[in-house]
């Protein structure tokens, strides 16, 4: 097996690493009979952090959020830096209830992360608090050929992310696909 492609800033797999690993986790979960939740996370007001404190501070925020996410992921979960200030995770869950719990746990971990970063305008270190909007698509892949594609799940998670961002900062929105619960968005 090839080594995962890593994002140099966060040391997480990058988007191309995602494209290699996500289909494999989907197939493994379908074979075992579990469910998945695909999460797209976008740091709230990230541009404001860069514009207020500078891009080095933004880099520190990205590294700290990546480290935070790494600590709350479970063995077997997949976490990547998808691009910019966006992270994507694919987590094995038992059911819709656990999909919501995973989403809330990740949002809380980001919210509780203490970040100290350099300020570009002054020779000081500043404390930066961050929150995130999270869109999640929960689904149960099956081994009988009725497997939702990673691209379709990503599209649904992206739509849920837009719902979460439209609701306010520090929000999560989970969409349930197919036989997991029957569909629909839930802002949490």
């Amino acid at each position: 097996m090839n080594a995962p492609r890593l994002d140099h800033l966060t040391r997480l797999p990058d988007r191309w690493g995602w494209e290699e690993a996500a289909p494999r986790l989907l197939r493994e979960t379908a074979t075992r009979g579990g469910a998945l939740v695909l999460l797209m996370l976008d740091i709230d007001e990230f541009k404001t952090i860069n514009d207020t404190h500078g891009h080095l501070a933004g880099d520190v925020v990205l590294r700290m959020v990546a480290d935070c996410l790494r600590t709350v992921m479970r063995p077997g979960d997949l976490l990547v830096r998808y691009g910019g200030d966006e992270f994507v995770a694919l987590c094995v869950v038992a059911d819709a209830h656990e999909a919501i719990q995973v989403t809330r746990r990740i949002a809380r971990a980001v919210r509780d992360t203490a970040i100290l970063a350099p300020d570009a305008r002054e020779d000081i270190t500043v404390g930066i608090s961050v929150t995130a909007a999270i869109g999640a698509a929960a689904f149960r892949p099956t081994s009988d050929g009725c497997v939702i594609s990673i691209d379709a799940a990503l599209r649904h998670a992206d739509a849920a992310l837009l719902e979460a961002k439209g609701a306010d900062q520090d929000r999560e929105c989970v969409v349930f696909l197919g036989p997991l619960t029957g569909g629909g968005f839930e802002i949490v």
Side-chain angles (χ1 to χ4, degrees):
M1 180 180 351
N2 296 334
R5 298 170 187 237
L6 296 180
D7 169 62
H8 291 288
L9 182 63
T10 62
R11 306 308 297 160
L12 290 174
D14 62 15
R15 186 173 185 160
W16 293 269
W18 165 264
E19 291 177 7
E20 293 171 2
R24 187 172 41 249
L25 182 55
L26 179 76
R27 286 188 305 274
E28 291 169 2
T29 305
T31 300
R32 285 192 309 264
L36 293 166
V37 61
L38 190 155
L39 302 101
M40 287 193 88
L41 180 146
D42 186 271
I43 299 171
D44 291 326
E45 303 294 329
F46 185 72
K47 183 180 179 332
T48 301
I49 293 168
N50 282 335
D51 291 349
T52 303
H53 302 292
H55 291 88
L56 292 177
D59 286 351
V60 169
V61 168
L62 289 171
R63 280 193 299 271
M64 294 297 294
V65 168
D67 289 347
C68 158
L69 295 173
R70 201 180 274 113
T71 64
V72 297
M73 292 292 120
R74 298 166 301 181
D77 291 343
L78 174 61
L79 171 66
V80 302
R81 179 175 178 206
Y82 201 68
D85 63 319
E86 295 148 354
F87 296 86
V88 174
L90 189 59
C91 305
V92 177
V93 294
D95 54 26
H97 177 72
E98 188 178 4
I100 292 172
Q101 286 183 315
V102 165
T103 305
R104 286 181 174 160
R105 183 181 77 232
I106 290 170
R108 185 173 45 252
V110 170
R111 185 181 319 114
D112 292 345
T113 298
I115 299 173
L116 295 175
D119 187 275
R121 293 191 179 106
E122 300 179 40
D123 189 19
I124 60 171
T125 299
V126 294
I128 300 174
S129 298
V130 296
T131 58
I134 300 175
F139 59 101
R140 185 175 303 281
T142 60
S143 57
D144 66 1
C146 299
V147 177
I148 185 170
S149 71
I150 288 296
D151 288 342
L154 197 57
R155 184 172 36 80
H156 286 288
D158 199 19
L161 176 61
L162 293 173
E163 289 289 322
K165 289 170 95 169
D168 203 359
Q169 292 183 33
D170 196 18
R171 295 291 185 164
E172 307 91 54
C173 179
V174 181
V175 61
F176 300 101
L177 307 174
L180 195 63
T181 63
F185 285 106
E186 182 171 335
I187 304 275
V188 293

